[in-house]
Amino acid sequence: MALGLSGRRVLIAGGTRGIGGATARLLAAEGCVLALCGRNEDDVRAAVRDTDAHVFGRTVDVTSPGAVEEFVTQAAEELEGLDGVVACAGTARGRGLGEATAEDWSATWEANAGYSARLLAVAAPHLRASSSGSAVLVSSISGWKPGPQAQYGAAKAAQIHMAASLARELGPDGVRVNAVSPGSTLVPGKRWDRMRTQQPQDFAVFAREFPQQRLVQPEEVAEVIAFLLSDRSSGISGANIPVDRAQNAPTPDGY
């Protein structure tokens, strides 16, 4: 079903692989004009080459001071405005509480909640100027289902709260803000895919955390993100939408 997104100008931070890459491909198929960034130059080039749309791509480390702000500004100039933004970059650093350093906590925060706030701060004037401004923060079920490590869950919980709070702050100007919380997602070459091929017995045990014994696919998350960027979701703002196939524990590592 077409979502009426043709011509929409959408920025995706972390838009080259996994959920971000699937989102870029779906939005391109819907007729969007895209700006996307990633940390790896080869991945950015491949995403620009393989996405069937007008794409403004840049290699950006979103945790580097000023980098995401510069990217948003450049993208808005290139696309002549922004109708939607997706904060899809994210990672974790460090282990348990006794081993994680202050730098691990700080780095994990910045790679998830910190850059998301900075991205939205710069994008907000452009979204206000749009007739359909919408922002989506890609959080995680780890943001409300306890699992190791705490620094990652805390940063993801902050994104969920940020979406709810900023939806109230930006709502009077016509801008919607929502969070999407994927469950464990089967991305080629990443942790769960490696587990599936290298540790099939452990993977089968982990799959029992899902009622259908199937992990989430990147395309399933992308569909929800695209819906939240569209006018079909005009009544949804400040929400956290799980896309987790009713997953129980967020990791196979306990809790």
Side-chain angles (χ1 to χ4, degrees):
M1 180 183 295
L3 292 172
L5 289 169
S6 182
R8 296 282 176 90
R9 302 156 297 178
V10 181
L11 177 151
I12 310 171
T16 59
R17 301 178 63 186
I19 292 170
T23 301
R25 292 189 294 274
L26 177 58
L27 293 179
E30 290 282 342
C32 292
V33 181
L34 303 176
L36 57 84
C37 71
R39 288 183 298 176
N40 183 284
E41 184 175 353
D42 290 339
D43 287 344
V44 173
R45 288 177 177 172
V48 171
R49 182 185 65 242
D50 297 340
T51 302
D52 186 18
H54 172 63
V55 181
F56 173 76
R58 285 292 182 270
T59 304
V60 178
D61 178 355
V62 296
T63 67
S64 179
V68 75
E69 293 92 333
E70 181 180 7
F71 172 64
V72 173
T73 299
Q74 291 176 342
E77 292 177 356
E78 179 72 18
L79 273 55
E80 299 183 348
L82 293 171
D83 302 300
V85 296
V86 182
C88 198
T91 189
R93 204 176 91 175
R95 300 181 66 81
L97 183 62
E99 301 173 69
T101 65
E103 289 75 17
D104 290 333
W105 279 83
S106 177
T108 301
W109 170 271
E110 188 55 40
N112 296 280
Y115 94 86
S116 297
R118 293 188 289 108
L119 185 157
L120 282 178
V122 180
H126 304 289
L127 298 178
R128 289 188 181 103
S130 168
S131 61
S132 53
S134 177
V136 180
L137 308 183
V138 180
S139 180
S140 167
I141 63 167
S142 294
W144 82 94
K145 293 183 179 181
Q149 277 65 45
Q151 59 269 28
Y152 180 71
K156 288 303 186 183
Q159 285 184 299
I160 294 170
H161 184 90
M162 188 187 306
S165 180
L166 293 182
R168 301 284 297 180
E169 182 176 339
L170 300 178
D173 296 318
V175 178
R176 295 183 297 114
V177 186
N178 290 288
V180 170
S181 288
S184 299
T185 305
L186 197 61
V187 177
K190 293 296 186 178
R191 180 183 181 185
W192 309 124
D193 188 44
R194 294 196 304 268
M195 187 181 185
R196 179 180 62 85
T197 57
Q198 299 171 14
Q199 302 168 275
Q201 292 182 330
D202 292 339
F203 182 82
V205 171
F206 179 45
R208 294 173 191 162
E209 298 291 343
F210 302 79
Q212 295 177 315
Q213 298 192 30
R214 293 174 55 199
L215 275 66
V216 178
Q217 297 294 321
E219 292 76 15
E220 294 174 317
V221 186
E223 291 281 357
V224 177
I225 294 172
F227 171 69
L228 290 173
L229 292 171
S230 78
D231 292 342
R232 291 181 181 272
S233 63
S234 60
I236 304 175
S237 192
N240 175 41
I241 312 295
V243 188
D244 62 0
R245 291 186 170 273
Q247 182 177 356
N248 184 29
T251 78
D253 302 322
Y255 309 3

